[in-house]
Amino acid sequence: MKTLETERLILRDWQESDLDDFYEYAKVEGVGEMAGWRHHESKEESKNILDAFIREADNYAIVLKEKNKVIGSLGIHNRIEPDYKAEIQREIGYVLSKDYWGNGYVPEAVKAAIKYAFEELNADVLWCGHFLDNTQSQRVIEKCGFKYYKNHVKESKALGKIFNCRKYVITKEDYYEIIINNR
């Protein structure tokens, strides 16, 4: 994927040298669980997932410029909402190191991803969602211009649980309207 840059962040492809930074935040209880995966119990587990990120090439490493440190990840995945009529659909998902919560990094990264998805990947629709009790993600999603679409149930096999979730949508038309209104 194309490297994206914001005021404070670089979103780039994952590299093998990111393993220590990745494991540092992925091993913390409560980080992955907010996104439906359990925290990592070993560096080997993180390495296997990092290798998949590199192979699949649909996840960005979120790098804090001032420290040149990976502090999270953001994916732009091919996802289809079957009851929604749009040709090119993508879903944005993200996770951030607990050490960096509350600093506005995720909205900054998500807005860059939205711009890239609509302007360069030619997406028609972007999806984003959260577990009902994850109000931090809800605030990010709403702050980035997504609109509520529906509630649904999602199973996390990794956690062995079923979660009540909210799904949000932003269309290409919504995106361009936001740009025009913010000029």
Side-chain angles (χ1 to χ4, degrees):
M1 292 193 304
K2 176 184 173 184
T3 298
L4 307 177
E5 191 168 338
T6 70
E7 182 182 334
R8 302 177 295 169
L9 305 171
I10 296 172
L11 282 69
R12 61 157 172 78
D13 289 334
W14 284 91
Q15 303 166 359
E16 289 183 17
S17 59
D18 295 328
L19 179 58
D20 289 338
D21 288 348
F22 180 39
Y23 179 60
E24 183 180 318
Y25 76 79
K27 71 180 179 182
V28 176
E29 192 170 342
V31 172
E33 286 81 0
M34 299 287 270
W37 48 272
R38 63 181 176 80
H39 59 280
H40 297 182
E41 295 183 7
S42 70
K43 195 179 271 193
E44 185 62 31
E45 182 178 3
S46 291
K47 171 135 180 38
N48 291 337
I49 294 168
L50 177 64
D51 290 345
F53 285 171
I54 292 169
R55 246 189 344 271
E56 294 164 11
D58 66 353
N59 265 293
Y60 280 113
I62 301 174
V63 180
L64 184 60
K65 283 182 186 178
E66 73 179 43
K67 294 184 177 184
N68 192 31
K69 180 178 184 62
V70 175
I71 62 169
S73 67
L74 183 143
I76 304 175
H77 311 287
N78 289 318
R79 296 282 195 276
I80 300 295
E81 178 64 36
D83 63 344
Y84 197 92
K85 302 299 178 220
E87 191 171 328
I88 303 173
Q89 300 184 40
R90 302 279 190 266
E91 182 176 34
I92 293 178
Y94 48 82
V95 66
L96 189 72
S97 167
K98 213 176 220 183
D99 293 341
Y100 296 92
W101 288 2
N103 292 294
Y105 294 127
V106 174
E108 187 173 325
V110 169
K111 287 176 183 176
I114 291 169
K115 180 179 185 343
Y116 173 65
F118 285 126
E119 294 183 10
E120 297 190 44
L121 297 179
N122 204 29
D124 296 309
V125 168
L126 290 176
W127 300 101
C128 200
H130 65 87
F131 299 150
L132 284 184
D133 61 348
N134 186 345
T135 56
Q136 292 165 293
S137 277
Q138 180 179 351
R139 283 193 302 273
V140 167
I141 292 165
E142 291 171 350
K143 196 182 288 186
C144 291
F146 286 86
K147 296 176 183 172
Y148 171 78
Y149 182 66
K150 70 178 183 178
N151 283 5
H152 66 105
V153 175
K154 181 176 182 179
E155 179 183 4
S156 168
K157 292 181 181 169
L159 296 176
K161 293 168 83 174
I162 294 177
F163 291 92
N164 291 314
C165 303
R166 280 200 181 118
K167 187 173 262 192
Y168 295 76
V169 64
I170 186 170
T171 65
K172 187 181 288 189
E173 293 77 20
D174 294 336
Y175 168 71
Y176 284 110
E177 186 176 309
I178 289 168
I179 290 176
I180 290 168
N181 289 336
N182 287 331
R183 284 190 180 161

